[in-house]
């Protein structure tokens, strides 16, 4: 069977925004530090940023809604 190769950039419709880059970087740092559950990830985002869109703190529900919104735009 032939191996297929797909780069991440082949599947996106546009360049990520600055906010999306910051959010992705923060999530990657959280995973690299051993964070593996949503509660700890949300706490990490509240400590390190970026801030929740529109102000206020990140919540588990807010994180899930924001990730779903971003995924729908890609």
């Amino acid at each position: 069977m032939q191996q297929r190769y797909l780069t991440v950039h082949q599947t996106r419709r546009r360049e990520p925004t600055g906010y999306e880059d910051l959010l992705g970087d923060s999530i990657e740092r959280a995973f690299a530090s051993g964070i593996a559950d949503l509660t700890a990830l949300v706490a990490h985002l509240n400590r390190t940023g970026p801030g929740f869109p529109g102000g206020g703190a990140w919540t588990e529900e807010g994180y899930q809604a924001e990730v779903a919104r971003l995924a729908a735009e890609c």
Side-chain angles (χ1 to χ4, degrees):
M1 175 175 229
Q2 179 182 0
Q3 293 284 61
R4 295 177 188 243
Y5 178 76
L6 175 70
T7 65
V8 174
H9 303 295
Q10 289 175 314
T11 60
R12 68 180 186 202
R13 296 180 199 162
R14 61 172 172 73
E15 292 293 317
T17 65
Y19 161 73
E20 292 166 347
D21 280 337
L22 289 173
L23 180 59
D25 291 346
S26 188
I27 293 168
E28 287 177 2
R29 283 191 301 275
F31 291 159
S33 72
I35 291 173
D37 64 87
L38 183 56
T39 301
L41 176 59
V42 167
H44 171 83
L45 289 173
N46 283 319
R47 279 191 314 275
T48 65
F52 186 73
W58 286 96
T59 64
E60 292 179 21
E61 296 79 14
Y63 175 83
Q64 291 171 321
E66 180 64 0
V67 170
R69 182 189 72 78
L70 292 170
E73 291 182 0
C74 287

PDB file of all heavy atoms in Angstrom, residues 52-74:
ATOM      1  N   PHE A  52      -9.303  35.128  27.157  1.00  0.00           N
ATOM      2  CA  PHE A  52     -10.530  34.638  26.525  1.00  0.00           C
ATOM      3  C   PHE A  52     -11.115  35.736  25.642  1.00  0.00           C
ATOM      4  O   PHE A  52     -11.144  36.908  26.042  1.00  0.00           O
ATOM      5  CB  PHE A  52     -11.540  34.215  27.605  1.00  0.00           C
ATOM      6  CG  PHE A  52     -12.762  33.563  27.040  1.00  0.00           C
ATOM      7  CD1 PHE A  52     -12.706  32.289  26.522  1.00  0.00           C
ATOM      8  CD2 PHE A  52     -13.969  34.232  27.021  1.00  0.00           C
ATOM      9  CE1 PHE A  52     -13.832  31.674  25.995  1.00  0.00           C
ATOM     10  CE2 PHE A  52     -15.099  33.637  26.493  1.00  0.00           C
ATOM     11  CZ  PHE A  52     -15.035  32.356  25.974  1.00  0.00           C
ATOM     12  N   PRO A  53     -11.572  35.407  24.443  1.00  0.00           N
ATOM     13  CA  PRO A  53     -12.144  36.411  23.546  1.00  0.00           C
ATOM     14  C   PRO A  53     -13.288  37.171  24.219  1.00  0.00           C
ATOM     15  O   PRO A  53     -14.170  36.568  24.825  1.00  0.00           O
ATOM     16  CB  PRO A  53     -12.658  35.595  22.353  1.00  0.00           C
ATOM     17  CG  PRO A  53     -11.895  34.321  22.404  1.00  0.00           C
ATOM     18  CD  PRO A  53     -11.605  34.071  23.858  1.00  0.00           C
ATOM     19  N   GLY A  54     -13.244  38.464  24.125  1.00  0.00           N
ATOM     20  CA  GLY A  54     -14.294  39.289  24.704  1.00  0.00           C
ATOM     21  C   GLY A  54     -14.086  39.574  26.178  1.00  0.00           C
ATOM     22  O   GLY A  54     -14.904  40.216  26.817  1.00  0.00           O
ATOM     23  N   GLY A  55     -13.008  39.075  26.760  1.00  0.00           N
ATOM     24  CA  GLY A  55     -12.719  39.310  28.160  1.00  0.00           C
ATOM     25  C   GLY A  55     -13.233  38.192  29.045  1.00  0.00           C
ATOM     26  O   GLY A  55     -13.883  37.258  28.600  1.00  0.00           O
ATOM     27  N   GLY A  56     -12.925  38.288  30.302  1.00  0.00           N
ATOM     28  CA  GLY A  56     -13.323  37.249  31.244  1.00  0.00           C
ATOM     29  C   GLY A  56     -12.318  36.122  31.257  1.00  0.00           C
ATOM     30  O   GLY A  56     -11.317  36.135  30.545  1.00  0.00           O
ATOM     31  N   ALA A  57     -12.591  35.145  32.065  1.00  0.00           N
ATOM     32  CA  ALA A  57     -11.687  34.003  32.220  1.00  0.00           C
ATOM     33  C   ALA A  57     -12.095  32.863  31.299  1.00  0.00           C
ATOM     34  O   ALA A  57     -13.259  32.724  30.922  1.00  0.00           O
ATOM     35  CB  ALA A  57     -11.725  33.532  33.677  1.00  0.00           C
ATOM     36  N   TRP A  58     -11.100  32.046  30.953  1.00  0.00           N
ATOM     37  CA  TRP A  58     -11.389  30.810  30.237  1.00  0.00           C
ATOM     38  C   TRP A  58     -12.143  29.875  31.176  1.00  0.00           C
ATOM     39  O   TRP A  58     -11.839  29.796  32.363  1.00  0.00           O
ATOM     40  CB  TRP A  58     -10.093  30.119  29.805  1.00  0.00           C
ATOM     41  CG  TRP A  58      -9.379  30.765  28.666  1.00  0.00           C
ATOM     42  CD1 TRP A  58      -8.351  31.659  28.747  1.00  0.00           C
ATOM     43  CD2 TRP A  58      -9.623  30.560  27.279  1.00  0.00           C
ATOM     44  NE1 TRP A  58      -7.953  32.032  27.494  1.00  0.00           N
ATOM     45  CE2 TRP A  58      -8.713  31.366  26.571  1.00  0.00           C
ATOM     46  CE3 TRP A  58     -10.517  29.785  26.559  1.00  0.00           C
ATOM     47  CZ2 TRP A  58      -8.679  31.403  25.175  1.00  0.00           C
ATOM     48  CZ3 TRP A  58     -10.491  29.815  25.174  1.00  0.00           C
ATOM     49  CH2 TRP A  58      -9.579  30.627  24.496  1.00  0.00           C
ATOM     50  N   THR A  59     -13.115  29.177  30.636  1.00  0.00           N
ATOM     51  CA  THR A  59     -13.816  28.107  31.332  1.00  0.00           C
ATOM     52  C   THR A  59     -13.752  26.874  30.436  1.00  0.00           C
ATOM     53  O   THR A  59     -13.424  26.979  29.245  1.00  0.00           O
ATOM     54  CB  THR A  59     -15.293  28.450  31.598  1.00  0.00           C
ATOM     55  OG1 THR A  59     -15.959  28.589  30.319  1.00  0.00           O
ATOM     56  CG2 THR A  59     -15.438  29.734  32.415  1.00  0.00           C
ATOM     57  N   GLU A  60     -14.063  25.736  30.982  1.00  0.00           N
ATOM     58  CA  GLU A  60     -14.069  24.527  30.161  1.00  0.00           C
ATOM     59  C   GLU A  60     -15.080  24.658  29.019  1.00  0.00           C
ATOM     60  O   GLU A  60     -14.786  24.329  27.870  1.00  0.00           O
ATOM     61  CB  GLU A  60     -14.363  23.307  31.014  1.00  0.00           C
ATOM     62  CG  GLU A  60     -13.244  23.000  31.987  1.00  0.00           C
ATOM     63  CD  GLU A  60     -13.503  21.804  32.868  1.00  0.00           C
ATOM     64  OE1 GLU A  60     -14.346  20.952  32.508  1.00  0.00           O
ATOM     65  OE2 GLU A  60     -12.853  21.710  33.916  1.00  0.00           O
ATOM     66  N   GLU A  61     -16.251  25.168  29.341  1.00  0.00           N
ATOM     67  CA  GLU A  61     -17.286  25.331  28.311  1.00  0.00           C
ATOM     68  C   GLU A  61     -16.861  26.375  27.276  1.00  0.00           C
ATOM     69  O   GLU A  61     -17.078  26.205  26.075  1.00  0.00           O
ATOM     70  CB  GLU A  61     -18.618  25.736  28.940  1.00  0.00           C
ATOM     71  CG  GLU A  61     -19.210  24.684  29.860  1.00  0.00           C
ATOM     72  CD  GLU A  61     -18.571  24.647  31.257  1.00  0.00           C
ATOM     73  OE1 GLU A  61     -17.839  25.603  31.630  1.00  0.00           O
ATOM     74  OE2 GLU A  61     -18.792  23.663  31.964  1.00  0.00           O
ATOM     75  N   GLY A  62     -16.270  27.465  27.747  1.00  0.00           N
ATOM     76  CA  GLY A  62     -15.808  28.515  26.837  1.00  0.00           C
ATOM     77  C   GLY A  62     -14.709  28.016  25.921  1.00  0.00           C
ATOM     78  O   GLY A  62     -14.688  28.329  24.723  1.00  0.00           O
ATOM     79  N   TYR A  63     -13.780  27.229  26.461  1.00  0.00           N
ATOM     80  CA  TYR A  63     -12.707  26.655  25.652  1.00  0.00           C
ATOM     81  C   TYR A  63     -13.282  25.742  24.567  1.00  0.00           C
ATOM     82  O   TYR A  63     -12.915  25.849  23.402  1.00  0.00           O
ATOM     83  CB  TYR A  63     -11.719  25.878  26.524  1.00  0.00           C
ATOM     84  CG  TYR A  63     -10.665  25.166  25.720  1.00  0.00           C
ATOM     85  CD1 TYR A  63      -9.538  25.850  25.279  1.00  0.00           C
ATOM     86  CD2 TYR A  63     -10.815  23.828  25.363  1.00  0.00           C
ATOM     87  CE1 TYR A  63      -8.579  25.203  24.511  1.00  0.00           C
ATOM     88  CE2 TYR A  63      -9.867  23.179  24.606  1.00  0.00           C
ATOM     89  CZ  TYR A  63      -8.754  23.875  24.179  1.00  0.00           C
ATOM     90  OH  TYR A  63      -7.819  23.235  23.403  1.00  0.00           O
ATOM     91  N   GLN A  64     -14.187  24.861  24.956  1.00  0.00           N
ATOM     92  CA  GLN A  64     -14.777  23.935  23.983  1.00  0.00           C
ATOM     93  C   GLN A  64     -15.525  24.699  22.885  1.00  0.00           C
ATOM     94  O   GLN A  64     -15.432  24.345  21.708  1.00  0.00           O
ATOM     95  CB  GLN A  64     -15.695  22.954  24.689  1.00  0.00           C
ATOM     96  CG  GLN A  64     -14.933  21.984  25.569  1.00  0.00           C
ATOM     97  CD  GLN A  64     -15.825  21.139  26.457  1.00  0.00           C
ATOM     98  OE1 GLN A  64     -16.819  21.618  26.991  1.00  0.00           O
ATOM     99  NE2 GLN A  64     -15.465  19.886  26.627  1.00  0.00           N
ATOM    100  N   ALA A  65     -16.248  25.736  23.260  1.00  0.00           N
ATOM    101  CA  ALA A  65     -16.983  26.526  22.268  1.00  0.00           C
ATOM    102  C   ALA A  65     -16.022  27.269  21.347  1.00  0.00           C
ATOM    103  O   ALA A  65     -16.254  27.338  20.131  1.00  0.00           O
ATOM    104  CB  ALA A  65     -17.914  27.506  22.974  1.00  0.00           C
ATOM    105  N   GLU A  66     -14.947  27.808  21.911  1.00  0.00           N
ATOM    106  CA  GLU A  66     -13.989  28.560  21.096  1.00  0.00           C
ATOM    107  C   GLU A  66     -13.254  27.647  20.130  1.00  0.00           C
ATOM    108  O   GLU A  66     -13.080  27.982  18.954  1.00  0.00           O
ATOM    109  CB  GLU A  66     -12.997  29.306  21.992  1.00  0.00           C
ATOM    110  CG  GLU A  66     -11.967  30.117  21.260  1.00  0.00           C
ATOM    111  CD  GLU A  66     -12.507  31.270  20.442  1.00  0.00           C
ATOM    112  OE1 GLU A  66     -13.742  31.490  20.404  1.00  0.00           O
ATOM    113  OE2 GLU A  66     -11.703  31.972  19.809  1.00  0.00           O
ATOM    114  N   VAL A  67     -12.838  26.481  20.580  1.00  0.00           N
ATOM    115  CA  VAL A  67     -12.168  25.541  19.691  1.00  0.00           C
ATOM    116  C   VAL A  67     -13.122  25.071  18.587  1.00  0.00           C
ATOM    117  O   VAL A  67     -12.718  24.953  17.421  1.00  0.00           O
ATOM    118  CB  VAL A  67     -11.566  24.365  20.484  1.00  0.00           C
ATOM    119  CG1 VAL A  67     -11.082  23.258  19.576  1.00  0.00           C
ATOM    120  CG2 VAL A  67     -10.423  24.868  21.358  1.00  0.00           C
ATOM    121  N   ALA A  68     -14.363  24.840  18.923  1.00  0.00           N
ATOM    122  CA  ALA A  68     -15.344  24.435  17.904  1.00  0.00           C
ATOM    123  C   ALA A  68     -15.555  25.565  16.890  1.00  0.00           C
ATOM    124  O   ALA A  68     -15.643  25.315  15.683  1.00  0.00           O
ATOM    125  CB  ALA A  68     -16.665  24.070  18.569  1.00  0.00           C
ATOM    126  N   ARG A  69     -15.603  26.802  17.378  1.00  0.00           N
ATOM    127  CA  ARG A  69     -15.761  27.955  16.471  1.00  0.00           C
ATOM    128  C   ARG A  69     -14.567  28.062  15.531  1.00  0.00           C
ATOM    129  O   ARG A  69     -14.729  28.234  14.315  1.00  0.00           O
ATOM    130  CB  ARG A  69     -15.915  29.247  17.285  1.00  0.00           C
ATOM    131  CG  ARG A  69     -16.130  30.491  16.420  1.00  0.00           C
ATOM    132  CD  ARG A  69     -16.056  31.766  17.234  1.00  0.00           C
ATOM    133  NE  ARG A  69     -14.695  32.078  17.646  1.00  0.00           N
ATOM    134  CZ  ARG A  69     -13.761  32.620  16.872  1.00  0.00           C
ATOM    135  NH1 ARG A  69     -14.021  32.870  15.603  1.00  0.00           N
ATOM    136  NH2 ARG A  69     -12.565  32.896  17.355  1.00  0.00           N
ATOM    137  N   LEU A  70     -13.367  27.935  16.083  1.00  0.00           N
ATOM    138  CA  LEU A  70     -12.168  28.028  15.256  1.00  0.00           C
ATOM    139  C   LEU A  70     -12.106  26.886  14.246  1.00  0.00           C
ATOM    140  O   LEU A  70     -11.709  27.103  13.091  1.00  0.00           O
ATOM    141  CB  LEU A  70     -10.919  28.039  16.136  1.00  0.00           C
ATOM    142  CG  LEU A  70     -10.751  29.297  17.003  1.00  0.00           C
ATOM    143  CD1 LEU A  70      -9.620  29.095  17.995  1.00  0.00           C
ATOM    144  CD2 LEU A  70     -10.524  30.518  16.145  1.00  0.00           C
ATOM    145  N   ALA A  71     -12.479  25.699  14.657  1.00  0.00           N
ATOM    146  CA  ALA A  71     -12.462  24.549  13.743  1.00  0.00           C
ATOM    147  C   ALA A  71     -13.435  24.746  12.586  1.00  0.00           C
ATOM    148  O   ALA A  71     -13.149  24.353  11.458  1.00  0.00           O
ATOM    149  CB  ALA A  71     -12.786  23.268  14.501  1.00  0.00           C
ATOM    150  N   ALA A  72     -14.576  25.363  12.862  1.00  0.00           N
ATOM    151  CA  ALA A  72     -15.567  25.592  11.815  1.00  0.00           C
ATOM    152  C   ALA A  72     -15.068  26.601  10.776  1.00  0.00           C
ATOM    153  O   ALA A  72     -15.506  26.581   9.640  1.00  0.00           O
ATOM    154  CB  ALA A  72     -16.874  26.069  12.435  1.00  0.00           C
ATOM    155  N   GLU A  73     -14.152  27.482  11.186  1.00  0.00           N
ATOM    156  CA  GLU A  73     -13.619  28.498  10.280  1.00  0.00           C
ATOM    157  C   GLU A  73     -12.493  27.978   9.405  1.00  0.00           C
ATOM    158  O   GLU A  73     -12.158  28.603   8.415  1.00  0.00           O
ATOM    159  CB  GLU A  73     -13.098  29.702  11.079  1.00  0.00           C
ATOM    160  CG  GLU A  73     -14.180  30.500  11.739  1.00  0.00           C
ATOM    161  CD  GLU A  73     -13.628  31.712  12.485  1.00  0.00           C
ATOM    162  OE1 GLU A  73     -12.388  31.920  12.469  1.00  0.00           O
ATOM    163  OE2 GLU A  73     -14.431  32.440  13.070  1.00  0.00           O
ATOM    164  N   CYS A  74     -11.883  26.884   9.779  1.00  0.00           N
ATOM    165  CA  CYS A  74     -10.685  26.403   9.054  1.00  0.00           C
ATOM    166  C   CYS A  74     -11.039  25.767   7.745  1.00  0.00           C
ATOM    167  O   CYS A  74     -11.861  25.081   7.486  1.00  0.00           O
ATOM    168  CB  CYS A  74      -9.908  25.435   9.914  1.00  0.00           C
ATOM    169  SG  CYS A  74      -9.066  26.282  11.245  1.00  0.00           S
TER     170      CYS A  74
END
